[in-house]
Amino acid sequence: MKTKLQYALSVAVIGVALMTSGLVRAAETYKMDTKGSHAFIQFKIQHLGFSWLLGRFNTFEGEFVLDEKNVENSNVSVNIDVASVDSNHAERDKHLRGPDFFDVSKFPKASFVSTKIEKTGEKTAKITGDFTLKGVTKPLTLDAKYVGGGKDPWGGYRQGFEATTQFKLKDFGIDYNLGPASEVVDIYISVEGIRQ
Amino acid sequence: MRLKNTTSDYGMVSVLVHWLSALLAVGVFGLGLYMVGLSYYDPLYHELPEWHKFLGVALALITLFRLLWCVISTPPLLLAKQSWQKMAARLAHGLLLLGLVVLPVTGYLIVTAEGKALLLFDLALLPALIELSPTQTDWVGRLHLWSAWGLIGLALVHAAAALKHHFVDADRTLTRMLNIKGQ
């Protein structure tokens, strides 16, 4: 004789089994593996036109919905803790957090939320979205590339992408004069998502 | 020339370190305010922070010495007569000293926040002891700035009080700090 609890449990088990079978849902949600640090947001900018300065944002979180059958139906969003900017130099990082650059006490978060994904090749796509930095929101397009995916050795399922983009600092209200060679910042993103 | 303090007079050592401290404190403060406003292409953009750190560390060492000297050679008695004046003087002196301790400590923490040593030109380095998060570093930065304004503000009050004692009360508060003999 089944109790109500047992009945509810079996419904739940069947439900979860259906949901995880991969047959029911075509689009699947992935959480970026920031916990295991298999996700990176790096930037580079010219120093005087003589060399590249590299840095990264150490703290962020993001997720993406991947529809492998219909990539246009996918989406991605990322939230960045701007204060985590790290260029491997304590005084420069403090300067970057201050009002001359990111002004993190007023604008602690940056974000990217995709609005449109266009497949451009077998493994490539253009991801357009709303990018918010220092309180300014503007459309930004990432050139994204599928790197790989599949079962990981620990019972999970992962997919990884890399993407590049660039923008003018001035477009987001950062007008500290670093010189003519240093107006544009290049972004490189590499993320691995764990299927939820 | 007497080096040590007596119950009524400052010795040469106290007089020298007092005025050296005052000079350095104003200098390092001005340097600090000026350097953070420099544009990236200013020839002094890298030079002045180096001097700020160097002179700041020098001032910290002098402060350390002053604290030791207070123990070795007790400062003379306060000349103020009313007890509220004595209290106010002790409080002001205590806070000035606190500022002279807090400023170099916070300055050091800002520079070493990411685990790298503080370099004094290429002469010497102070290794990092504590790593701070970005938020903590920014708070330490604010404390550094506020303490600097506090110290300079209090130093002005301190100077005004000394002038008041000199001109209004006509006592030896100022002259004995200049090691000018009275009586």
Side-chain angles (χ1 to χ4, degrees):
Chain A
M1 200 171 86
K2 281 190 174 178
T3 65
K4 273 184 182 170
L5 180 66
Q6 281 174 317
Y7 178 71
L9 265 175
S10 52
V11 169
V13 167
I14 292 163
V16 170
L18 277 173
M19 276 161 64
T20 51
S21 68
L23 294 169
V24 174
R25 41 171 202 181
E28 291 172 308
T29 303
Y30 291 77
K31 194 167 183 278
M32 288 178 193
D33 186 16
T34 41
K35 198 176 148 211
S37 197
H38 297 109
F40 301 88
I41 300 174
Q42 298 185 325
F43 60 85
K44 65 172 186 175
I45 188 162
Q46 286 259 324
H47 181 233
L48 307 169
F50 302 161
S51 73
W52 291 100
L53 181 134
L54 283 82
R56 65 184 188 197
F57 290 93
N58 287 333
T59 310
F60 62 94
E61 53 181 27
E63 58 174 42
F64 55 85
V65 173
L66 179 63
D67 187 338
E68 290 184 63
K69 298 257 156 48
N70 178 17
V71 171
E72 271 82 2
N73 192 33
S74 304
N75 66 67
V76 56
S77 65
V78 184
N79 255 307
I80 303 164
D81 176 8
V82 185
S84 71
V85 62
D86 181 357
S87 70
N88 195 24
H89 188 288
E91 288 151 272
R92 179 166 56 215
D93 291 343
K94 185 172 182 297
H95 194 191
L96 292 175
R97 292 191 300 269
D100 280 342
F101 292 93
F102 296 127
D103 205 356
V104 298
S105 57
K106 276 198 201 128
F107 309 104
K109 295 281 173 194
S111 64
F112 179 82
V113 180
S114 70
T115 50
K116 193 174 100 179
I117 296 182
E118 274 175 279
K119 199 169 172 175
T120 52
E122 183 65 19
K123 289 185 169 185
T124 56
K126 281 196 183 299
I127 304 174
T128 303
D130 291 326
F131 178 52
T132 304
L133 179 64
K134 208 180 181 182
V136 180
T137 302
K138 285 197 169 141
L140 189 69
T141 300
L142 312 180
D143 291 308
K145 191 180 168 200
Y146 178 67
V147 178
K151 281 183 187 164
D152 66 31
W154 317 286
Y157 193 86
R158 294 165 185 252
Q159 303 273 17
F161 297 86
E162 61 181 345
T164 58
T165 190
Q166 54 175 221
F167 57 85
K168 273 191 164 177
L169 288 174
K170 221 177 256 180
D171 289 347
F172 293 87
I174 299 165
D175 46 18
Y176 187 84
N177 183 20
L178 291 168
S182 311
E183 291 175 350
V184 172
V185 62
D186 285 14
I187 305 289
Y188 175 77
I189 300 161
S190 171
V191 294
E192 191 175 285
I194 306 172
R195 192 167 72 186
Q196 298 300 292
Chain B
M1 190 180 293
R2 187 173 33 77
L3 294 179
K4 282 196 164 188
N5 303 322
T6 66
T7 51
S8 64
D9 281 278
Y10 284 107
M12 208 56 199
V13 173
S14 286
V15 169
L16 277 177
V17 290
H18 170 266
W19 291 108
L20 190 57
S21 270
L23 198 68
L24 275 173
V26 172
V28 175
F29 173 76
L31 209 50
L33 275 193
Y34 183 68
M35 74 184 194
V36 294
L38 291 178
S39 77
Y40 195 58
Y41 278 74
D42 197 289
L44 296 174
Y45 184 84
H46 289 293
E47 183 87 0
L48 291 190
E50 296 280 325
W51 278 102
H52 180 78
K53 289 175 204 172
F54 182 79
L55 296 175
V57 170
L59 181 54
L61 292 175
I62 289 169
T63 303
L64 204 63
F65 174 78
R66 283 177 87 180
L67 289 169
L68 277 174
W69 191 249
C70 272
V71 177
I72 295 167
S73 174
T74 313
L77 300 169
L78 291 169
L79 289 172
K81 299 215 167 55
Q82 293 101 320
S83 64
W84 74 266
Q85 277 194 4
K86 287 188 183 175
M87 289 247 300
R90 287 206 185 91
L91 182 67
H93 295 163
L95 287 173
L96 284 168
L97 269 175
L98 182 68
L100 288 173
V101 171
V102 167
L103 279 158
V105 170
T106 49
Y108 161 83
L109 288 175
I110 293 166
V111 177
T112 58
E114 292 180 17
K116 285 188 189 157
L118 186 161
L119 287 163
L120 299 171
F121 294 101
D122 286 327
L123 302 171
L125 59 81
L126 291 172
L129 292 174
I130 307 166
E131 286 195 38
L132 299 175
S133 77
T135 317
Q136 288 167 333
T137 311
D138 288 348
W139 272 109
V140 170
R142 275 173 218 131
L143 186 59
H144 191 72
L145 181 66
W146 296 336
S147 308
W149 278 108
L151 181 77
I152 293 301
L154 202 57
L156 282 174
V157 174
H158 176 69
L163 291 173
K164 186 253 178 195
H165 275 276
H166 185 73
F167 291 109
V168 179
D169 303 333
D171 66 21
R172 295 185 57 240
T173 301
L174 185 60
T175 51
R176 71 176 183 174
M177 195 35 109
L178 291 161
N179 210 20
I180 297 166
K181 282 275 169 281
Q183 278 105 37

